[in-house]
Amino acid sequence: MELRSYENLLSIARLAPLDNPKRIVFGIEAVNQVGEEAKKLKAKNILVVTDENIEKAGLLDKVKAPLDAEKLKYYVYKIPTAEPTMSSAKAITDHVRKNKYDLVIGVGGGSCMDSAKLAAIMATNKGDVESYCASATKAPEPLTEDALPKILIPTTAGTGSEASNTLVIIDGGYKTWITDAKVLADVAIVDPIMTLTCPPRMTAGSGMDALSHLAEAVMVRKWHPISDAIALKGISLVAQNLRKAYYDGNNLEARWGMSLAAMLGGWVIGFPWVGGPATIGHCIAEALGPKWNVPHGVSCAICLPYAMKYNLPVAPERIRLIGEAMGVETEGLNDYEAAEEAVRAVAELACDVNISLALKDYKVPKDELKDFAEYLVNERQYMYDLKNNNPRTITLESITALMEQMWEGEL
Amino acid sequence: MELRSYENLLSIARLAPLDNPKRIVFGIEAVNQVGEEAKKLKAKNILVVTDENIEKAGLLDKVKAPLDAEKLKYYVYKIPTAEPTMSSAKAITDHVRKNKYDLVIGVGGGSCMDSAKLAAIMATNKGDVESYCASATKAPEPLTEDALPKILIPTTAGTGSEASNTLVIIDGGYKTWITDAKVLADVAIVDPIMTLTCPPRMTAGSGMDALSHLAEAVMVRKWHPISDAIALKGISLVAQNLRKAYYDGNNLEARWGMSLAAMLGGWVIGFPWVGGPATIGHCIAEALGPKWNVPHGVSCAICLPYAMKYNLPVAPERIRLIGEAMGVETEGLNDYEAAEEAVRAVAELACDVNISLALKDYKVPKDELKDFAEYLVNERQYMYDLKNNNPRTITLESITALMEQMWEGEL
């Protein structure tokens, strides 16, 4: 059999093709560069995608000022202050197709940036949004046309959408997404100043979202040294900075570290072998969140330590690395012991930023868990190709047990 | 004073703008993807840049087969088997301007890949090669036009040119370069199979070249966590794999590790704050090599431990990281002690792959050292902006002493 046929089984047999975010401008006051970057992209008529909260917090003004200074023409489109839905996706698609924009700038959290990405691809690609979305039952249509150029400017430190090749949409009760190199930003402008006003609860949730991207990238079955390099640095940054950013929102050094960690998290989930990330953690989190109205970051925070515990029997040497990057002392411990310390470190971090790890605290009805586990195992796992991406095999029995532990908060 | 004015003095004040290599395809048999990647770039008439040795080693055939399979039209241009000079640069410029290519593929070591990059930019940008080259006395002309698309395929594990935004040319006795995001490959195809036939001496030199890129990226004054992430992983890979690749050329796992390390090295030197890399190490190496006919990789190998020793008094905490990434045991050591161990580890690695660290072993005339030190301090350091890029201040006295130590091999 050909070497490549072994790529799910042997790390040396893998081909690692990756598309990078093309340009990143990171640092304090980086947002002041937006006018210059827009000019470099030869923009004449810009669509700025944001929402009401971003405008109220004065963050939109920080983007408008450099655009005005360069005398650039732009229109501000405000999406609803919620995660993108099929209906909001269609609305922005209609808008962008009716107007002749040549650059899209997204300013905000994941919702604004993902809506901006969607606008940029739907402006040039024909057909319905749904046809490009991932589904458990059929392959999405490929994006045939290059998107409009896009600049993404995050105001949270979490999603990493500014550096990822994915956009997420809530379709009915669950999440779907569009993943393609054409979804990547032309320029990610990451300025920790833009996150200073992010309130503590959102800081905690989005920070744990970033950690889940980074840690799942290390845990994923087809891990690679390239993603390890980026992800382990990001994990260290979260461990060093999230508590400080949560309890002291004006700690600019902590915000700096979290903005960087989140960007690295978005970057690394775009590598195809990380796939979004495609472990049992995000598989559950992205179903759980929309279904029981748990914010995305909190949902990821809850699932991460359980996903690590679930995979611990088969990938202790990978989970150990997560703990070591967090600063866990593992000298003298074997891989299993060290991996258990890693799970504990993640749980402690969530606890320290006041995120409960028990689903019962989020009004999740216990009697719906069994059906939910069946949905995960019979349908949803195929959207993540968990067989090839998650280290430990998925069975109805093991996932049902896991959901019960998550409900009780038994780690 | 504005925050940004402090960027050479305070790490938090820095803006970190970076352009990534757009697409990387890494792995065993990755070269088989070249036809498909060329088709994705809509190539109709391809220029393949290589040299006689690459063809003789059968490596060109590995590139031609997938191109033929896709029925793609290409012309093979062979450069002289030596580092690119102004004269070879002009020859390929003439060729590419007389023909209508729409894709350039470089196959070989740094010389072939750099020549391919040059062809791709000179096909679309007017004027002389010299006008775009770095100089100690005047700023180069900017490249105004996008280059032709390019695919780069290394056959050594060293230069990392496949992932860097720089191309190097020997101009008279010294090296100059063109650095621009437009110099970056559209696709870097990195296949360790292509390096299996690389002879031991070249394996050693190019491997140490990669290490010098990675280690200097960590040591550079304006270090950043993004470059640290990539560089420290690369350093570990060199420490684990270079000896194996040198003494057992058919060790495919070691070749795999070295190919990856070299690519990471090329990637990281493209970040503007790493600048090529712009420390005293490369400043000396790129002058020394052409002047006394020392191959580039060997020249970098010689300079690296001395550059680390030179900077040790002011950046021990950075140099410590290099050693730790190499696996040096530093528990209980302070930064200075740990950094000394790091210098020792680099010197031992060079020694183990039979690279002497004494200039007297390379027929460098001792009585020319004083003039050479003067050239470095009075002229050459400005091409690297060492004042802002190298941790320790450069003085004629200290550099003259350093050159004497290098001649004797006193580390």
Side-chain angles (χ1 to χ4, degrees), chain A residues 106-329:
Chain A
V107 189
S111 304
C112 294
M113 291 191 285
D114 282 6
S115 298
K117 288 162 143 181
L118 184 84
I121 59 170
M122 295 311 288
T124 55
N125 286 277
K126 289 178 184 166
D128 293 338
V129 176
E130 284 99 333
S131 63
Y132 299 109
C133 289
S135 130
T137 50
K138 68 179 180 53
E141 294 286 322
L143 296 168
T144 53
E145 307 303 316
D146 284 342
L148 293 183
K150 38 197 145 21
I151 298 177
L152 300 176
I153 307 174
T155 60
T156 61
T159 158
S161 179
E162 68 276 13
S164 84
N165 62 354
T166 289
L167 65 92
V168 175
I169 301 171
I170 297 181
D171 183 16
Y174 298 108
K175 287 200 175 174
T176 181
W177 54 83
I178 300 175
T179 299
D180 193 293
K182 295 186 174 75
V183 176
L184 281 164
D186 292 80
V187 189
I189 296 184
V190 185
D191 185 344
I193 294 278
M194 299 291 276
T195 69
L196 280 176
T197 53
C198 185
R201 272 182 64 83
M202 197 183 290
T203 299
S206 47
M208 290 300 292
D209 185 16
L211 182 63
S212 71
H213 294 159
L214 296 157
E216 291 182 46
V218 173
M219 190 164 63
V220 78
R221 185 179 190 89
K222 291 186 266 184
W223 65 272
H224 195 281
I226 300 176
S227 38
D228 276 5
I230 295 172
L232 291 168
K233 171 58 75 179
I235 291 169
S236 295
L237 288 165
V238 174
Q240 289 160 20
N241 293 293
L242 180 55
R243 291 173 181 89
K244 291 180 186 173
Y246 176 73
Y247 287 105
D248 174 16
N250 279 319
N251 185 327
L252 184 53
E253 292 198 33
R255 294 292 196 181
W256 191 96
M258 286 307 303
S259 287
L260 182 51
M263 188 274 285
L264 296 175
W267 189 347
V268 87
I269 61 173
F271 298 159
W273 60 90
V274 177
T279 83
I280 186 66
H282 260 62
C283 175
I284 300 178
E286 292 182 329
L288 176 65
K291 186 169 176 66
W292 289 302
N293 206 23
V294 182
H296 177 71
V298 174
S299 187
C300 291
I302 299 168
C303 294
L304 176 59
Y306 294 98
M308 290 165 69
K309 194 181 165 199
Y310 185 80
N311 284 315
L312 199 148
V314 295
E317 71 289 354
R318 302 300 304 163
I319 295 169
R320 172 185 199 131
L321 293 176
I322 298 168
E324 286 172 350
M326 293 182 78
V328 169
E329 183 52 73

Side-chain angles (χ1 to χ4, degrees), chain A residues 388-408:
Chain A
N388 291 315
N389 291 322
N390 191 71
R392 178 171 159 187
T393 305
I394 306 301
T395 66
L396 183 57
E397 196 183 5
S398 62
I399 296 301
T400 306
L402 185 68
M403 291 311 306
E404 281 165 11
Q405 288 164 24
M406 287 178 67
W407 195 85
E408 294 286 355

